[in-house]
Every structure is written in C-alpha cells, then in structure tokens.
Amino acid sequence: MKQIVQSYRTGTLEIQEAPAPALRRASVLVRTAHSVISPGTERQILELSRASLLGKAKKRPDLVKKVLDKVKQEGLISAVRKAQSALDRPVPLGYTCSGVVVEAGEGCEEFAVGDRVACGGAGFACHAEFNCVPKNLCVKAPAGVTSQQAAFVTLGAIALQGVRQSEASIGDRVAVIGLGVVGLLTVQLLKAAGAFVIAADPNPARRTAAASCCADVVASDPDALHRAALNASGGNGVDAVIICASTGSNRPVEVAGEISRRRGVVVALGTVRMDVPRNLYYQKELALKLSMAYGPGRYDPSYEERGVDYPYAYVRWTENRNMKAFLELAAAGKASPEKLVTHTFPFERALEAYDLLQGKHSAGAMGILLEYAGAADAARTVYAAPSPGRTRAPADQLNLGVIGAGAFARGVLLPAIAKIPGARLHSIAAATGISANQTARKFGFLKIRTDYTEILEDTEIAAVFILTPHSSHAPIAADALKAGKAVFLEKPLAVSTEQLDQLKNVYGALSADENSTPPRLMVGFNRRFSSHTRFLKERFDDLGVPVVLNYRVNAGKLDPASWLTDPAEGGRIVGEVCHFVDFAIHFAGAEPDAVTAVTGAPDNDPSSSDCLIAALRFGNGSLAGVIYAATGPASYPKEFIEVIGGSCVGVIRDFKSSLFHADGKRKKHFTPGQDKGFHAEISSFIESLRTGMPLPIPFEASVLTTETTFRILKALRTGKTA
C-alpha cells in the first residue's frame, strides 16, 4: 500500500510503499476512500518537522530537557544515539478518513466486512490506502452520508465537543473566534443547537464561508466583534465564547473575556496562549474550560486502543459517541462538512496538496480532500529499499528476523546487531508498515512485514529477535520455537505463571522430540554481559565466599499513558525488576531459597506504588536487596550496585565505572559511556548459533529469574516469605 510520511528530522514529505498494517484485536482494517487534510493541525506538524534542530528545541523545550537528563544519566553517546533515533522516526500524517471495512478483528462483532465507516485518531486514520483502526475510533456511516462527508468525522467530533463544553442551548448568544475547518463546523453545530452565532476571523474567505454556514453575524476584528456581541445581547455580553483559533497570541483569551457576560463560559478549543487576565475573568466570574479533542476517551489507551468503553449512564458523550452524533447531524442535513471542501486531489497527487497548504495561496484553503482510487489487496510484505550509501549484508550470512520496531529496538538493539559480523538483517515485522519501513531502510533489511507469522514461516530465516510489548513475548516465542527458529527474546520471558507454564511445556515437548529441531531460546538479560559485571564477578568468584549485594535503581516516573503501566503487560516489577533479579542470581551463583518484598503502598499493592524493596536469600548464604524507586529525578544516575564479601567491596556506578576494593588496594574499570552489555550479549548469542555451542544464558536460567520475579509478586500479595 501507499502512505504519506514525513521525516521528523528533515521535514521531507513522501508517499511511501509500505505493507498494510496488521489487524489487531478490537480493531478493523479499512480500505480508505477519502481522507481530509486539516490545514491548521497539519500545517503545524509540517512547520515543526521542517524547523532546524534549534527551531525544534525552541518549540519543544520539554524534549530538550529529556535529552539533557539522558546525557546526565547515560552519557553523551547513548543520549545522542537515542535522540537521533527519535529524530529518524517517521511521522504518519492525517487523522480523519472514511472507507470500507475489509477485515474485522477479534472483539469487533459490531462491524462486518463491507461496512462503510468513518475513522479518527492520529496514527490510526492516516493518509494511507489501508488503516487499522481501533473500534472506539471507528463508526458506521449512516445511510445518506457520503464518503466525503464521513471523512470529516474527527474534525466534526472536535467541534461538537467544544459546543458541549460551552453548554450552549436554544437562543444563547455564542461567539466563535477562529474560522478554520473546526471553527466553521462549530458554527454549523451551534446553529443546529438553536444558538445565535457571531463568527470572527480576519481572513475574508473564512468570513464568507461562515456566512454560508448561516452565522448570524460575521466580524473581521476585535472591535467589530465587541460591537456585534453587545448588539446581539442587549449590552450584556455573549453567553459563551468558543476559541477555535490557533495562535501564539494571548489576544483571543483576552477578547473572549471582554465580550462575555457575567458568569459566561469561555471554551479554549484551539491551540492558543492562555495567560488569563485574572481581574477580568474574576470580576465577571467567568468559567474557563478546555475542550480536549474529540471528547472523553481521548488519550486513554484502554479506551482508544483496547476498546474498553465508558459506561453510557456515567459518560454520555465519549469521543466515539460524538463521532456518531456528528454523522447523524450530517445525515439530517444539520451539519454540512462538504461545504468546507475547497480543494480535492487524487491521493497520488497528495504532495501537491501539501505544496498548496504551505504556498502563497494557502489562505483560501480550508477542507482539502484526498480521494483514493481503491488499492489492491492488503499485502503485508514488501521488499525494502535501503538508504543511500547503505548496502545489505551478503546473502551467505546468518539470516535474522526481527519482530518489533519500537524505540528500544531502533535505538539500542538493532544498532548492536548491525555491528556484528556474520549477521544479516533479513526481515522486520511491526504492527504498522511505516515504522517497519523506516527501520528497514535505516538498517538494511531485505523485507518489511506487518504479519510476524510470515517471518516464522520463512525458511531462509534461522533466528528471530522478539522485541514486542511484554504480554506478547511468551506466545510469539512459543510459535517461533514450534517453527524451528532460534529465539532471542527481550525480557521478560512471560508476564504470568500461565504464560510461563505454557512456554515451558512447548520447550519441554520440543526437547523431548527427537524429530524436531532442538529448541534454543535466550532472554535479553544484558547486564550479565557488561564488562563491569565481569570485572567484579571474576574477582568475587575467586574468593569463593557468600556475598551481600545491594542493587539501587532510580527508575523514575512513567507517563500514566505508557503501555508499561497496563496491568496486562505485567507492570514494572515483571517488566523491569526482572533485570535486577537476574543480575543478583547471576552474581550470587545460586538459587534463591527465600524471597520477601514490600512496596510503598500500605497494602503492598504494586499497582498503587512503583517503589519496591525486595530481599533474596540464596542457598549458598548470599543475600541480595533490590531497592526500586520511582520518585527520583531523571537527571540522576539510574543504577548503583554494591557487593560486599570476603573483606572486599565492589561497586558499579551506572555501568560507567566499577571499583574493587581489597586489602586497602583499589582496582578500577572505566568505559567511555554506559556498558550495559548489549553488544556482548548479541554477539555471544549469534556466535552460539554459528558454532552450535550452548547459549550463554540457558533457558532454565531465564525460567529461574522469571519464577523468582513472580515470587516477589507473591510475597507482596501474601505478606509472607515466598
């Protein structure tokens, strides 16, 4: 399929060939018929992407701070590598479209193949021939609504949510400041609600459009808006103001307060500066509200991506129900988005539409519609085109398949794999073709896929790297082992005892089957392979005594919307604390015979607190403590390890330096940046495949680490030693 993509680094736009997205649970695959370019939002994206690095830094100081924190925590080289990976990430454009369902995933019984639908959501309803859209961001198009009208569904829902926030009712006097597409749709919806509408914008073409949308009064500047507001309200001021403008100026917020009646409502729907003039708003006792996009559910992964709806009785108007309501108004002729279409382009000429958007004559452009001729089948494999100057590895190398193309894969593991002789990056699979496409170009993959099972079925591929969200690790690993592939599985091995037992059963059955390929699976517990770990472990192993180990982790807070916070993904204990448990087991050289743990929550519920202290006692007399704190600053080093035993002390500071103190003498080891062992880990895995030697981390060792991590959870639940 083809899709419009922009480089965040350079701002370059192109129509890329990419595999159709994989069908996910609670989602539908849609063949796009029409999509809408929103001039306001998409122009902002273009301007940010095309800005220089300094310009990007000025516009996004929050991201600059994150990079500086990474420099302090991980070192310059690691921080630069991750920043470059983020800059290289392609940006899919578009967030509102219409089309026809061609596949319906599990949990989408309300949709059938052939249904006409309207879709919303950045990253889902893109300018692409096929889109995989979660069901809560997809609604059926009513009879009488054209595909062109339905393509405006997201913009219509945004406008409708702004109207709801204003609480406008029949006869209310409402001002709309800013008459882009959303502003004009807001005018239409207010008229449908029976309000008297005053529309304001300095652009004459937009004022003309507002008049055609039945605005009662149209104003060109603040003075005219003041007069209109006073005239329409008998000198009292308007009941509500909806700000749809997009500007860095504070003037819309000031004007809105000036023209409002006492105890009126001001709704900030557009992106505007909000230095609220306190005295003005205080003296009138104004209510200032923000309208968050399409409505309740926006930015909630459970609602948007996993299809968990809000109770109808308690959240009457979700973003999905707003989308449906807008289409119903369009079907009844009370909303007319087709009146806002100023330009229509075939999808093949979409780049001309963006040239128009940024050109001298863009002032008259409002709704820009893209028409799709109808793509062929939704192929989920395409051949990659390597970046200029980058050649693919020779065909006689060990062929590797990679499943997952997230930030960790692009910024850490793939750069490590690419440096290893004898390895050939053959195929990459990711849920979205755009992510897989960019990653394939950067690292020289041969094939791009969105269906990982095609990698497992490919007889040319000897080993797979599984770098997907945690809950999918064990199921994909089991499928890969059954397909006869060697497996490198990024931690954790499993997120539940049920998953672990199923994977152990598959591994055991294959091991016992003389006719099958002996299973080979290694989990990415990389800290074992760090030169700092080796530096200390060799010295303590020579002593042959029990040790007391303390592992302190300044983990930092997670964004509440992060997929890592989803209980279905195992949480932070299963997903990250497993690393430190594995280090302790590896260093102690024995199995834990007792595990205790407490969290910062009174009831020890790990979902209520990200702070944890776990204690492990080993059969050889060694002890280990893991202190996991999520309340520290991101700028402070993340990991500190201290080992004591045999009158000696060893220290690792964030895997940048290590120290061994014995008999008053010190031995030190330094690395230029962080050495968490990634390169050595991957090298040893690939070398074991090439030579037939045993894997550097046996499957049984990974099972032990995973079971010990689950024992921490059990200790928390029961309050007893596990």
Side-chain angles (χ1 to χ4, degrees), residues 527 529-534 654-656 669 671 673-680:
R527 286 159 178 80
F529 297 88
S530 169
S531 61
H532 298 286
T533 305
R534 295 197 304 270
D654 220 24
F655 292 95
K656 296 177 184 177
H669 174 61
T671 50
Q674 275 191 320
D675 174 15
K676 287 189 175 181
F678 292 113
H679 185 269

Side-chain angles (χ1 to χ4, degrees), residues 6 61 80 126 175 273 302 307 347 489 504 520 542 548 551 579 581 589 617 631 670 701 708-709 715-717:
Q6 182 174 40
V80 169
C126 306
R273 188 171 175 177
S302 293
F347 178 64
L489 179 62
K504 286 164 62 178
R520 296 169 70 84
D542 289 342
V548 176
Y551 203 132
H579 259 316
V581 169
R617 186 184 69 197
T631 53
F670 297 94
T708 304
T709 306
L716 292 174
R717 286 195 301 268

Side-chain angles (χ1 to χ4, degrees), residues 14-19 381-392 425-426 428 433 436-449:
E14 63 175 312
I15 300 178
Q16 284 187 1
E17 185 71 34
T381 296
V382 299
Y383 280 87
S387 297
R390 187 176 187 91
T391 58
R392 296 193 180 101
L425 292 170
H426 182 282
I428 184 164
N437 201 1
Q438 185 270 342
T439 306
R441 289 184 173 195
K442 181 175 181 179
F443 293 101
F445 281 88
L446 176 65
K447 293 181 180 179
I448 310 166
R449 310 175 191 262

